[in-house]
Amino acid sequence: MATPRPSRTAPRPTQAPWAWAFAGLLLGGVLAVLLFAPAHWLATGVRQASGGQVELADPRGTVWQGTAQLVFTGGAGSKDVTALPGRAAWQLRPHWDGLRASIEAACCTRQPLQLHLQPHWGGARLQVANSQTQWPAALLTGLGTPWNTVQAQGELTLSTDGLAFDWAQGRLVSSGKAELQALQMSSRLSTLQPMGSYRLAFTGGATPALQLDTLDGALQLQGQGHWVGSRLRFTGEASAAPDREAALSNLLNIIGRRQGARSIITVG
């Protein structure tokens, strides 16, 4: 009687070598795109997010590290354009708890401006490191009306203290403080140069608030405002020192609604 032969187990099909090669090529391509994404991708995002009012012109480098010229415009169809002297540089670094950004410009930042974006369930939190930066007021002209009429000249100093913004469930909540000082300001609408120096203070919280005060000068500005939802409601007034009314009359007619010697400023 013949001894039965042992049955042979059919060999398992092996993955085709070309499939592994294709998978590796695909993975490498994705990593290359992520690591070397061109800087103009970031420029496109900034333009869309700002409604065309802030642009990164002539971008160089990558999304993660690059330089560009910072440009302000009045938006689509506007002919008003101003550019920051020199170039601005940025560096983005993924972190275990989000994304860290460093921004600097030789003309305006003594130290790089540090930002920290932390995604969380239902939103994200943006923290601004305590800082102080200086910017030429002429940049505002590029934003269009009314700045293209006023054509302000002077220096803007922006300082922050514990400033943060939290997006959660479609709502924006702010905390901390920011202060903008407009120093030695002048305008083409007045022969008086400078007209004065001013402070605009922002305080975050459940109802974020603005406070406008005059530091010194012949043009006196004051006012208060707060946000209701996403809308700013601001009420203030401008007036001239008794011996400077003629030199500031044109400007007072532009920046608000005249009531005798005063100009009433309302927003929202």
Side-chain angles (χ1 to χ4, degrees):
M1 183 174 181
T3 304
R5 296 180 180 179
S7 60
R8 295 182 179 178
T9 304
R12 295 181 180 180
T14 58
Q15 190 81 17
W18 61 266
W20 288 109
F22 178 77
L25 182 63
L26 181 62
L27 179 60
V30 171
L31 290 175
V33 169
L34 291 176
L35 293 175
F36 302 104
H40 73 80
W41 288 11
L42 180 63
T44 299
V46 170
R47 184 187 308 113
Q48 293 176 347
S50 65
Q53 290 192 291
V54 181
E55 296 187 0
L56 299 178
D58 188 24
R60 303 173 189 173
T62 69
V63 166
W64 306 104
Q65 185 170 355
T67 67
Q69 188 169 32
L70 184 63
V71 176
F72 290 86
T73 78
S78 175
K79 296 181 180 180
D80 298 304
V81 178
T82 53
L84 192 70
R87 297 178 67 83
W90 69 83
Q91 184 177 37
L92 303 179
R93 302 188 306 277
H95 200 257
W96 67 269
D97 62 347
L99 183 69
R100 296 181 184 271
S102 175
I103 304 171
E104 60 181 323
C107 67
C108 307
T109 57
R110 297 177 182 176
Q111 296 179 341
L113 181 63
Q114 304 289 341
L115 307 175
H116 186 192
L117 181 63
Q118 298 172 284
H120 58 70
W121 183 258
R125 178 179 176 82
L126 177 65
Q127 291 180 294
V128 182
N130 295 352
S131 63
Q132 186 178 80
T133 55
Q134 290 83 30
W135 308 87
L139 280 178
L140 299 175
T141 302
L143 294 177
T145 306
W147 301 107
N148 55 356
T149 301
V150 174
Q151 291 199 4
Q153 298 289 331
E155 182 180 276
L156 304 177
T157 299
L158 177 63
S159 57
T160 62
D161 182 8
L163 187 63
F165 301 93
D166 202 335
W167 288 269
Q169 300 179 348
R171 296 181 62 238
L172 177 63
V173 179
S174 61
S175 57
K177 299 178 180 180
E179 182 177 284
L180 178 67
Q181 291 192 8
L183 305 175
Q184 300 297 297
M185 299 298 292
S186 62
S187 166
R188 73 169 183 175
L189 298 177
S190 174
T191 57
L192 186 61
Q193 297 185 1
M195 300 178 299
S197 297
Y198 311 93
R199 176 175 57 219
L200 184 64
F202 169 85
T203 303
T207 305
L210 279 180
Q211 177 71 41
L212 173 63
D213 297 298
T214 299
L215 299 176
D216 61 63
L219 177 65
Q220 300 289 306
L221 299 176
Q222 62 179 6
Q224 293 180 334
H226 60 276
W227 271 265
V228 178
S230 60
R231 294 187 59 186
L232 170 64
R233 294 182 178 177
F234 180 88
T235 302
E237 67 174 54
S239 60
D243 57 340
R244 298 295 187 179
E245 293 176 354
L248 294 171
S249 180
N250 287 339
L251 183 62
L252 291 174
N253 289 335
I254 290 292
I255 63 177
R257 184 180 72 258
R258 286 299 292 266
Q259 287 187 0
R262 300 183 303 159
S263 183
I264 307 302
I265 304 168
T266 56
V267 177

